Amino acid sequence: MALDERKGVWKSGKGKGRHTPKGRQLEDQPWAEVRALLGEGPHRRDLLIEYLHLIQDEYGHLSAAHLRALAEELRISMAEVYEVASFYAHFDVVKEGETPPPALTIRVCDSLSCELAGAQALKQALEDGLDASQVRVLRAPCMGRCDTAPVLELGHHHIDHATPEKVKAAIAAGETHAHIPQYQDFADYSSSGGYAKLAELRECGDFETVQETLLASGLRGLGGAGFPSGRKWGFVRAEAGPRYLAVNGDEGEPGTFKDRFYLERYPHVFLEGMLIAAWAVEAERCFIYMRDEYPAVIEILKREIKALEAASKVEPGYIELRRGAGAYICGEESAMIESIEGKRGMPRHRPPFVAQVGIFNRPTLVNNVETLYWVTRVLREGGEILSGVEKNGRKGLRSYSVSGRVQNPGVHLLPAGSTITDIIEAAGGMLDGHTFKAYQPGGPSSGLLPASMHDVPLDFDTLQPHGTFIGSAAVVVLSDHDSAKQAALNMLRFFEDESCGQCTPCRVGCEKAVKLMQADTWDQPLLEELCTAMADASICGLGQAAPNPIRLTMKHFPDEV
């Protein structure tokens, strides 16, 4: 049979032959723009999120044409690029025919501390007073500035104690970029003995001695898990190489801002601790995953990593700084690793644990920023700086992020056995006209405790008998002006927004809980049944801990629900 006689093989319908492959077509202009942004290749698949940031920063959104061009450049499917771009809150995907967002975006924090400080009224005033075609106003989760609530982000410029007047003045002045605070730079840190301990360990250090020093000091993971640091290092070191180190800087738990506090002041204390940890586990590369809500910190780290490279403290490229894109779930270590690999930040099933199968399927040590800050101090000053402090039978120090109805919110370094009474006293007492009513001991995951439980030491292992935990020590203080029921609803709305959607108990459970909690009177048996399903069946800590605000509010504030 002649070729032109085989009807239906090369054509679909008379005169309707397909001239292009199925799907979006590659356009020359967007492809050229993407190639100009990415620079010379080869381009790495694991840097997909970094490339998406380049396009978003340049054009203010991610057009379908640019996503198609990026897929072509990375030699991956359009679906793969789209699923990553649409997963993260800070990427604006714009399809054909859709209107791109305005040039300016204002993100108003509506987490608990900011809501107590009037964030809802602020957001409404901005929506009413600004031209929506020029400025977009969005609600956003915690920005790690709870001590200066209410807070918003104008472009990448944070406005503390925000008011509509401050916002309008900043827009008029074109203040949309991060303000870099004064901090201890490489030259200053080095001149005061910085990196001497790292040099000593690299020259003649003994891992077992370092491990024993850390264990004796009592240093535990300060991201919330509380696992003994020295022991974790030993687990990773025992695995066959190559090994990696990842720093979890995705401090997204509402109420927490201690890591930002240290990074904006003493970045090299943290960086030396990170390089010591890398030496200890013989890591071939270090990854710092920093949340996108900390643009000043990201700029500081960029500068100081370059300074370390220039001073030959590390080889160029040994430290990779990765920028998050607005996903609380990436604070979970395996979700963070997925994000570092350029994927959606979805938690992995365990086992295997990341100490065995982490970044690029290699053993990976994951440490929190503050943990590494204390590694440097313990090894330079001796473990007694932690183990020598004792209060209420507990040893060590804790950096409490304190906000809410207190006179002096901020990071307060106190003995680990401190009670909420001690913490409120350190924060200058309650605001005038406010009486202490309740407190959140460790972020929304820890729920709410009543003022009557004022004598419980806030530390690892002391709160579990009360159905909660210290977590990242994010303390939010509520007064008689506040509703425990509304505070719990605020926490569950946060979890509803931030659930990655991978598992049904968390995805559907958080949404259902919010609907039930909006009722004037809670259906407590149904909520308890829901809490049990979420806690037992969710894949990661988000869904497992989300029931805590519900259960503790029903237990301690029954008159409100």
Side-chain angles (χ1 to χ4, degrees):
M1 184 172 64
L3 189 64
D4 59 354
E5 292 175 346
R6 296 169 58 185
K7 294 178 180 179
V9 176
W10 305 106
K11 296 181 179 181
S12 55
K14 187 176 180 181
K16 295 182 179 178
R18 181 179 292 281
H19 298 291
T20 60
K22 289 184 177 181
R24 284 188 173 87
Q25 302 309 303
L26 181 64
E27 299 174 33
D28 290 340
Q29 181 65 27
W31 193 14
E33 291 168 349
V34 166
R35 295 173 87 169
L37 281 174
L38 269 55
E40 292 296 320
H43 299 128
R44 289 161 43 189
R45 168 63 183 81
D46 63 293
L47 292 174
L48 173 57
I49 294 170
E50 297 297 313
Y51 299 150
L52 290 170
H53 273 304
L54 289 175
I55 300 170
Q56 174 82 31
D57 289 346
E58 179 69 20
Y59 297 101
H61 63 280
L62 302 173
S63 70
H66 282 137
L67 294 182
R68 174 67 184 86
L70 184 57
E72 182 73 19
E73 198 62 24
L74 294 179
R75 299 293 190 268
I76 60 177
S77 70
M78 176 73 182
E80 202 172 339
V81 174
Y82 179 79
E83 73 172 10
V84 174
S86 58
F87 180 85
Y88 295 92
H90 290 186
F91 293 139
D92 296 303
V93 177
V94 178
K95 298 179 184 177
E96 295 91 342
E98 294 181 344
T99 303
L104 268 183
T105 295
I106 294 175
R107 301 180 191 273
V108 182
C109 177
D110 70 349
S111 291
L112 185 55
S113 297
C114 284
E115 186 166 284
L116 296 179
Q120 296 300 336
L122 173 64
K123 179 174 178 287
Q124 188 64 55
L126 292 172
E127 289 173 338
D128 294 342
L130 295 172
D131 182 351
S133 66
Q134 301 297 316
V135 183
R136 177 176 58 158
V137 181
L138 303 175
R139 57 184 284 262
C142 186
M143 297 175 184
R145 309 180 79 87
C146 317
D147 51 333
T148 56
V151 169
L152 58 78
E153 190 178 23
L154 173 65
H156 288 300
H157 170 48
H158 285 100
I159 299 180
D160 299 325
H161 303 296
T163 63
E165 292 72 29
K166 284 186 178 181
V167 172
K168 290 174 182 174
I171 292 173
E175 288 189 77
T176 59
H177 299 288
H179 289 197
I180 310 301
Q182 290 289 322
Y183 65 91
Q184 186 181 37
D185 64 10
F186 175 76
D188 189 14
Y189 182 71
S190 300
S191 66
S192 59
Y195 294 105
K197 176 55 69 173
L198 174 66
E200 175 192 325
L201 292 173
R202 284 175 169 176
E203 180 69 25
C204 58
D206 174 63
F207 171 74
E208 285 72 21
T209 302
V210 170
Q211 184 183 40
E212 186 53 44
T213 301
L214 292 179
L215 290 170
S217 74
L219 181 62
R220 297 170 66 170
L222 296 170
F227 196 83
S229 299
R231 198 176 304 162
K232 182 191 279 192
W233 290 14
F235 289 155
V236 176
R237 187 182 170 97
E239 296 288 328
R243 295 176 284 271
Y244 296 119
L245 180 146
V247 178
N248 191 340
D250 199 66
E251 183 180 47
E253 189 78 8
T256 313
F257 46 94
K258 59 185 179 61
D259 290 353
R260 178 182 64 80
F261 175 86
Y262 289 115
L263 287 169
E264 287 185 346
R265 289 161 178 79
Y266 316 108
H268 284 283
V269 182
F270 148 70
L271 286 168
E272 184 172 10
M274 179 190 75
L275 292 175
I276 289 171
W279 162 84
V281 300
E282 299 172 339
E284 293 203 355
R285 203 183 314 169
C286 297
F287 296 85
I288 303 175
Y289 189 87
M290 188 55 54
R291 65 187 310 223
D292 197 31
E293 290 86 348
Y294 287 176
V297 169
I298 291 171
E299 180 57 33
I300 289 169
L301 289 175
K302 282 180 180 177
R303 293 177 185 178
E304 300 312 310
I305 290 169
K306 283 183 180 177
L308 285 174
E309 292 173 348
S312 300
K313 299 295 182 186
V314 295
E315 291 293 320
Y318 180 73
I319 304 171
E320 288 199 28
L321 177 61
R322 296 297 182 85
R323 177 178 162 194
Y328 164 75
I329 192 63
C330 291
E332 197 277 338
E333 61 180 9
S334 65
M336 176 192 69
I337 285 173
E338 289 287 295
S339 192
I340 287 172
E341 293 180 356
K343 305 171 189 172
R344 293 177 295 171
M346 288 191 166
R348 297 175 178 177
H349 292 264
R350 293 177 291 183
F353 294 92
V354 300
Q356 303 164 298
V357 182
I359 299 174
F360 309 135
N361 296 322
R362 301 309 310 162
T364 302
L365 173 65
V366 177
N367 272 143
N368 165 261
V369 168
E370 194 200 354
T371 306
L372 296 173
Y373 168 89
W374 285 108
V375 164
T376 302
R377 292 201 55 186
V378 164
L379 294 179
R380 286 182 66 176
E381 303 171 42
E384 298 77 21
I385 62 168
L386 295 180
S387 61
V389 179
E390 186 170 351
K391 187 181 179 78
N392 292 328
R394 310 297 301 177
K395 289 187 176 182
L397 293 168
R398 291 303 302 254
S399 302
Y400 295 100
S401 304
V402 187
S403 60
R405 308 296 194 182
V406 292
Q407 295 279 4
N408 301 313
V411 173
H412 295 276
L413 185 62
L414 300 171
S418 298
T419 64
I420 189 63
T421 303
D422 300 320
I423 291 168
I424 292 174
E425 183 181 339
M430 297 293 294
L431 287 174
D432 295 338
H434 289 256
T435 302
F436 177 39
K437 173 182 177 176
Y439 64 104
Q440 176 183 281
S445 302
S446 67
L448 280 177
L449 296 178
S452 58
M453 294 177 62
H454 57 82
D455 55 354
V456 180
L458 300 190
D459 193 19
F460 294 121
D461 311 320
T462 59
L463 291 166
Q464 278 81 343
H466 303 288
T468 183
F469 50 85
I470 186 63
S472 56
V475 179
V476 181
V477 179
L478 277 65
S479 77
D480 55 341
H481 293 212
D482 306 314
S483 162
K485 177 183 176 182
Q486 290 303 313
L489 180 58
N490 176 282
M491 298 176 201
L492 263 294
R493 280 186 172 135
F494 170 77
F495 291 131
E496 179 189 22
D497 286 343
E498 297 299 329
S499 172
C500 75
Q502 179 179 187
C503 66
T504 303
C506 176
R507 181 184 70 249
V508 177
C510 289
E511 181 185 0
K512 181 69 172 176
V514 168
K515 289 177 180 175
L516 291 172
M517 293 167 73
Q518 289 172 328
D520 292 336
T521 303
W522 287 6
D523 185 339
Q524 296 189 49
L526 182 56
L527 275 168
E528 179 54 42
E529 192 177 329
L530 183 64
C531 288
T532 300
M534 292 172 67
D536 290 350
S538 295
I539 289 173
C540 80
L542 191 155
Q544 293 162 11
N548 287 342
I550 304 171
R551 284 175 159 159
L552 291 173
T553 302
M554 291 192 297
K555 178 179 179 180
H556 297 298
F557 306 95
D559 55 318
E560 291 196 30
V561 301

